[in-house]
């Protein structure tokens, strides 16, 4: 039987679950298998089998969590000069990893907001996204990931009420999640206008599934914004003191609840 390494060039559709497990184990065991990383990311897709997407997600999550604090930010990459990069291959590697992490998060968000995705998988994907929101800046709330996520939710061409229900029930109890939700949704509400609206009837089925950056209609986007705002709990003060939890400082992981 040919090894997984010998199958690198085969079509994505020809991989089986055992192949993905092997790719993930190799990635976690040695840097020599780093090329497995972009391949595994391709399986984080609404069109992938839920089992394949889950297997890839677990491997990629295990890979990225220990190294996130060592990676440069996406914005800082443009500040490195070519001369500096040529003398520092480790920095080049970390910049590449950061780009792959951004691709991974983008893929997770696309699965979360897609009407094609399995509902159980969406639950796991939501937890993964919010874990990276918590871990992205070594203990500080990673607002950029959360903003991208809310943007995709509001501008998704589908209603995704079940995803919003999960987000509300699992994470709106945290005060920092509420705060960044208010800020992000306010910006989205200000930017909404009819110029950003596309008629879903003018889109092909493929465009509909792939384009998560524009709403199918203005009313749907407004409905989502209203839903989100109406489900943010008030800031409670009991006995003269506020009682709240912060997601960025929480040690509990919803996946294990």
């Amino acid at each position: 039987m040919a090894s997984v390494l010998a199958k690198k060039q085969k079509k994505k559709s020809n991989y089986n679950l055992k192949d993905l497990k092997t790719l993930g184990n190799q990635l976690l065991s040695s840097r020599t298998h780093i090329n497995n990383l972009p391949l595994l990311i391709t399986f984080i897709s609404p069109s992938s089998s839920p089992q394949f997407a889950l297997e890839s997600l677990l491997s990629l999550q295990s890979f990225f969590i220990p190294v996130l604090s060592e990676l440069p930010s996406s914005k800082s990459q443009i500040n490195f000069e070519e001369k500096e990069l040529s003398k520092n291959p480790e920095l080049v590697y970390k910049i590449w990893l950061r780009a792959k992490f951004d691709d991974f998060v983008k893929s997770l968000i696309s699965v979360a907001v897609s009407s094609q995705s399995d509902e159980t998988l969406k639950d796991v994907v939501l937890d993964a996204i919010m874990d990276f929101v918590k871990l992205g800046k070594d203990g500080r709330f990673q607002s950029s990931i959360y903003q991208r996520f809310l943007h995709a939710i509001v501008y998704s061409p589908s209603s995704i009420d079940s995803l919003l229900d999960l987000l509300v029930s699992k994470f709106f109890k945290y005060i920092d999640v509420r705060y960044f939700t208010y800020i992000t949704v306010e910006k989205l509400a200000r930017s909404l206008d009819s110029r950003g609206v596309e008629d879903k009837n003018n889109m092909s089925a493929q465009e509909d599934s792939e384009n998560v950056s524009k709403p199918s209609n203005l009313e749907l986007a407004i409905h989502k914004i209203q839903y989100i705002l109406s489900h943010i709990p008030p800031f409670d003060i009991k006995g003269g003191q506020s009682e709240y939890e912060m997601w960025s400082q929480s040690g509990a992981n919803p996946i294990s609840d």
Side-chain angles (χ1 to χ4, degrees):
M1 179 178 177
S3 68
V4 172
L5 289 176
K7 299 178 183 178
K8 278 185 178 180
Q9 302 303 319
K10 72 179 182 180
K11 292 182 179 180
K12 175 182 170 182
S13 59
N14 291 335
Y15 283 90
N16 57 43
L17 194 58
K18 184 178 179 180
D19 289 335
L20 293 188
K21 288 180 181 292
T22 302
L23 288 170
N25 289 335
Q26 289 176 339
L27 176 65
L28 295 173
S29 66
S30 171
R31 188 182 289 193
T32 59
H33 298 290
I34 194 61
N35 286 333
N36 291 2
L37 177 59
L39 178 56
L40 286 168
I41 291 175
T42 65
F43 288 93
I44 310 294
S45 165
S47 61
S48 292
S49 153
Q51 293 88 349
F52 284 24
L54 178 60
E55 183 63 38
S56 298
L57 186 159
L58 294 175
S59 295
L60 292 166
Q61 195 174 25
S62 297
F63 174 82
F64 277 117
I65 285 178
V67 301
L68 268 182
S69 61
E70 303 172 6
L71 302 183
S73 67
S74 300
K75 293 181 180 180
S76 68
Q77 297 179 30
I78 61 176
N79 297 324
F80 295 116
E81 296 183 0
E82 185 176 346
K83 185 177 181 180
E84 180 182 0
L85 294 176
S86 64
K87 295 181 179 179
N88 194 337
E90 185 64 19
L91 178 59
V92 173
Y93 172 71
K94 289 181 178 180
I95 290 175
W96 181 83
L97 277 188
R98 179 69 207 200
K100 296 302 112 180
F101 174 71
D102 290 341
D103 290 343
F104 177 38
V105 171
K106 181 179 179 180
S107 297
L108 289 174
I109 292 175
S110 72
V111 170
V113 303
S114 174
S115 58
Q116 298 180 22
S117 300
D118 176 81
E119 291 299 323
T120 302
L121 178 62
K122 282 188 178 185
D123 194 350
V124 179
V125 166
L126 171 63
D127 289 340
I129 292 171
M130 294 305 293
D131 269 350
F132 288 129
V133 167
K134 177 170 63 175
L135 299 171
K137 287 186 177 179
D138 196 21
R140 290 179 291 164
F141 196 96
Q142 174 58 285
S143 59
S144 63
I145 292 178
Y146 191 60
Q147 288 167 358
R148 287 160 58 191
F149 182 40
L150 287 184
H151 185 279
I153 288 176
V154 170
Y155 284 90
S156 168
S158 54
S159 61
I160 55 176
D161 289 341
S162 60
L163 176 64
L164 286 173
D165 288 340
L166 284 172
L167 180 64
V168 168
S169 63
K170 285 191 167 188
F171 298 102
F172 274 23
K173 65 180 179 180
Y174 298 104
I175 193 67
D176 48 356
V177 174
R178 297 184 212 173
Y179 172 77
F180 285 105
T181 300
Y182 270 125
I183 291 177
T184 303
V185 171
E186 180 187 12
K187 291 180 180 178
L188 289 172
R190 291 179 183 275
S191 66
L192 274 180
D193 61 62
S194 58
R195 290 174 299 175
V197 177
E198 284 199 9
D199 185 354
K200 189 175 182 180
N201 294 328
N202 293 330
M203 299 173 67
S204 68
Q206 182 177 2
E207 288 172 331
D208 183 27
S209 65
E210 294 179 351
N211 187 349
V212 297
S213 64
K214 297 180 180 178
S216 59
N217 56 67
L218 183 60
E219 291 75 19
L220 180 57
I222 292 174
H223 166 74
K224 292 175 186 175
I225 288 177
Q226 290 176 333
Y227 181 94
I228 292 170
L229 291 176
S230 66
H231 284 77
I232 299 177
F235 185 76
D236 294 328
I237 298 180
K238 299 178 181 179
Q241 294 184 343
S242 60
E243 297 181 2
Y244 58 85
E245 297 178 83
M246 295 184 68
W247 174 238
S248 57
Q249 297 179 4
S250 171
N253 187 332
I255 295 176
S256 61
D257 285 352

